Amino acid sequence: EPEVTQTPSHQVTQMGQEVILRCVPISNHLYFYWYRQILGQKVEFLVSFYNNEISEKSEIFDDQFSVERPDGSNFTLKIRSTKLEDSAMYFCASNQQGSKGYTFGSGTRLTVV
Amino acid sequence: GQNIDQPTEMTATEGAIVQINCTYQTSGFNGLFWYQQHAGEAPTFLSYNVLDGLEEKGRFSSFLSRSKGYSYLLLKELQMKDSASYLCAVRDNTNAGKSTFGDGTTLTVKP
């Protein structure tokens, strides 16, 4: 079964540093998302991406965050200057049509120290 | 915005049936999803309802009443491996259709 691939699985970074989280969505999917889940809390929407542009973003997705689809396969989330409260599991997700359930990647656990 | 409520925890016995409820208030609705999430893992898609009624898929069924803002996930013939969090998520009616997740219900299946 096709998978969404995320790298790295774990990332530890110092406060103020930039991080790039990488995702390879399923190849024939059209809609891409980033969600995050702080330990013990709910899954929270960050941003959706369709047709090579951001469709929607949440209040969490401030100027420190950006997304890119630099080529036909990768989908990246950049956090420019990390804060302690950015520590969370970051999930990439994709689906073929907006109405279907997501396929999530296995996540990147980001720890900001 | 969306407001989603589901019980925090439930416990059930192996082989039994359990029903996990979800209520929602929404400013736009285009479907309700149930996901399963084991500890430390990503959510996995279980079911999708956009019309009223029951959708059955093996041991799992999901029900939706749009007028009541209510859904439930029914798990039959419970197995130990069903111990997990079950996430109710509502899709909004924008083009890319982001989903808003509930806090999840942690189900513990006991022998």
Side-chain angles (χ1 to χ4, degrees):
Chain A
E1 186 153 339
E3 289 183 346
V4 175
T5 305
Q6 286 187 246
T7 55
S9 56
H10 293 87
Q11 173 107 35
V12 180
T13 188
Q14 289 199 325
M15 193 169 53
Q17 294 297 302
E18 175 183 286
V19 294
I20 298 176
L21 310 183
R22 302 181 191 281
C23 171
V24 179
I26 294 172
S27 59
N28 63 347
H29 283 189
L30 302 176
Y31 298 85
F32 313 119
Y33 307 83
W34 283 100
Y35 283 79
R36 79 172 187 189
Q37 188 174 32
I38 296 170
L39 188 64
Q41 298 187 24
K42 69 171 74 175
V43 175
E44 298 176 291
F45 170 75
L46 292 178
V47 65
S48 58
F49 195 87
Y50 170 71
N51 203 25
N52 287 318
E53 62 183 17
I54 290 175
S55 296
E56 191 173 359
K57 56 186 179 181
S58 71
E59 293 175 352
I60 303 168
F61 194 90
D62 61 22
D63 292 344
Q64 295 301 312
F65 290 84
S66 61
V67 289
E68 267 194 335
R69 190 158 162 80
D71 52 44
S73 58
N74 290 286
F75 180 50
T76 62
L77 175 71
K78 182 192 289 186
I79 310 174
R80 258 180 279 282
S81 177
T82 50
K83 302 186 282 284
L84 294 176
E85 54 264 38
D86 293 328
S87 295
M89 183 74 94
Y90 287 80
F91 292 111
C92 173
S94 69
N95 63 359
Q96 194 169 32
Q97 297 171 248
S99 62
K100 300 299 184 185
Y102 300 147
T103 301
F104 281 90
S106 55
T108 293
R109 181 168 298 284
L110 176 66
T111 302
V112 182
V113 297
Chain B
Q2 318 277 23
N3 187 40
I4 299 171
D5 290 308
Q6 48 182 133
T8 303
E9 294 180 335
M10 298 183 73
T11 303
T13 305
E14 193 175 14
I17 299 172
V18 71
Q19 177 175 311
I20 302 174
N21 296 323
C22 171
T23 57
Y24 63 91
Q25 296 87 40
T26 178
S27 57
F29 178 86
N30 198 7
L32 187 143
F33 299 93
W34 284 96
Y35 290 86
Q36 181 190 61
Q37 187 178 29
H38 285 100
E41 298 182 10
T44 56
F45 169 72
L46 291 177
S47 69
Y48 170 64
N49 295 70
V50 66
L51 300 176
D52 291 351
L54 189 67
E55 295 281 341
E56 296 187 78
K57 193 188 293 186
R59 293 189 299 115
F60 293 2
S61 304
S62 56
F63 171 83
L64 176 67
S65 168
R66 288 171 296 169
S67 62
K68 295 181 179 177
Y70 168 69
S71 173
Y72 67 73
L73 179 69
L74 193 71
L75 293 79
K76 302 175 189 174
E77 300 170 15
L78 280 172
Q79 302 174 9
M80 300 298 289
K81 67 178 182 179
D82 296 330
S83 292
S85 282
Y86 291 85
L87 314 181
C88 174
V90 172
R91 179 180 184 257
D92 68 21
N93 54 7
T94 58
N95 182 41
K98 76 174 190 290
S99 288
T100 301
F101 285 77
D103 289 335
T105 298
T106 300
L107 173 67
T108 302
V109 180
K110 296 187 172 177

